[in-house]
Amino acid sequence: MNNKHITWRSEGYSKSYFGADGMREPGLTIKKPANTFRVALLGDSMVESLQVSIDETFGRQIERKVTTTEKPVQVLNFAPSSNRQFLRHPIVKISTR
């Protein structure tokens, strides 16, 4: 989903936006900002967390807890809405280059 607003009403309620890059997290760029540490989240729909607002996801909670002024942390959530193992390998391959 790219450039799409969604309202999630299954297993919870949230409104979200997926940007041009298909990511839910706002303000991400393909090029990693200087002096920033990135963490890739993989998992199933619980990790994806469409059931809650973006600020309530554990990825965002991790960012808030570990980010310092000297070393910002970005958590990128690559979890799909399923637990299909075959989806994970290509994502890991692309995201770790």
Side-chain angles (χ1 to χ4, degrees), residues 78-92:
F78 293 104
S81 290
S82 68
N83 192 15
R84 289 177 265 168
Q85 297 290 329
F86 69 90
L87 288 175
R88 294 188 186 154
H89 176 68
I91 293 170
V92 171

Side-chain angles (χ1 to χ4, degrees), residues 53-71:
S53 71
I54 187 70
D55 287 328
E56 294 177 275
T57 64
F58 72 85
R60 291 300 276 239
Q61 291 179 32
I62 291 168
E63 277 184 5
R64 285 192 295 271
K65 291 218 182 248
V66 300
T67 291
T68 66
T69 52
E70 299 83 34
K71 191 73 168 178

